[in-house]
């Protein structure tokens, strides 16, 4: 009987933890979907953005427009996380390989914890250099 109570206690908790995705995985999924509107919801007030050699610090609205244009011409097919940094509780960093209909791009982003919420403050999309 005690075993049944323990299982009833542990089982719901395992579903909760299984459903909570890491912020890196959530961001990578939004990029894979090309969902700029939802991705923009994670932007800080200004974003250091580099897209195919054009680099600057933009407002979150300008960043959304630039990324919308990028994804309009480069529809995502797949994303693979190839590196992640999660050792600091207030900072996350990841490098992805973004495959689109026009090629493969090395994509990296950093997120900073601001008042308990991770905000995307840097995003880079660069042409993948082939060997």
């Amino acid at each position: 009987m005690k075993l049944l109570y323990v299982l009833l206690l542990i089982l719901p908790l395992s579903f909760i933890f299984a459903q909570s995705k890491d912020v890196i995985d959530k961001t990578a999924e939004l990029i894979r979907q090309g969902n700029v509107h939802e991705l923009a919801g994670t932007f800080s007030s200004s974003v250091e953005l580099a897209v195919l050699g054009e680099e600057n610090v933009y407002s979150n609205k300008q960043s959304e427009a630039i990324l919308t244009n990028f994804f309009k011409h480069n529809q995502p097919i797949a994303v693979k996380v190839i590196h992640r940094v999660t050792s600091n509780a207030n900072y996350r960093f990841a490098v992805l390989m973004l495959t689109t209909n026009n090629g493969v791009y090395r994509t990296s982003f950093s997120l900073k914890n601001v008042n308990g919420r991770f905000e995307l403050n840097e995003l880079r999309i660069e042409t993948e250099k082939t060997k």
Side-chain angles (χ1 to χ4, degrees):
M1 191 66 159
K2 286 182 184 180
L3 180 61
L4 180 62
Y5 288 126
V6 171
L7 286 175
L8 289 174
L9 178 66
I10 293 174
L11 192 60
L13 291 176
S14 65
F15 284 116
I16 291 169
F17 289 117
Q19 291 176 351
S20 63
K21 276 189 171 180
D22 177 71
V23 67
I24 289 175
D25 293 330
K26 287 179 186 177
T27 305
E29 180 61 19
L30 291 173
I31 291 171
R32 187 197 64 76
Q33 294 170 357
N35 191 340
V36 178
H37 182 70
E38 286 221 17
L39 185 63
T42 68
F43 289 172
S44 61
S45 58
S46 62
V47 179
E48 186 176 332
L49 184 65
V51 178
L52 305 178
E54 295 292 322
E55 182 175 351
N56 208 334
V57 177
Y58 299 100
S59 72
N60 51 11
K61 293 295 181 194
Q62 290 172 312
S63 299
E64 183 175 1
I66 292 166
L67 288 174
T68 297
N69 186 53
F70 173 81
F71 285 117
K72 180 178 165 186
H73 296 99
N74 300 280
Q75 286 120 16
I77 297 169
V79 165
K80 180 179 180 186
V81 177
I82 59 172
H83 181 71
R84 66 175 66 220
V85 175
T86 59
S87 56
N88 184 327
N90 294 313
Y91 177 79
R92 298 289 186 268
F93 176 79
V95 178
L96 318 170
M97 296 311 291
L98 169 63
T99 305
T100 72
N101 62 327
N102 286 326
V104 178
Y105 299 94
R106 182 185 186 276
T107 305
S108 61
F109 61 87
S110 61
L111 302 135
K112 187 171 140 182
N113 188 340
V114 178
N115 298 324
R117 177 181 175 265
F118 278 99
E119 295 182 350
L120 192 142
N121 61 342
E122 180 182 6
L123 177 64
R124 305 182 72 79
I125 300 174
E126 303 165 326
T127 305
E128 172 62 6
K129 298 164 182 71
T130 56
K131 293 181 182 180

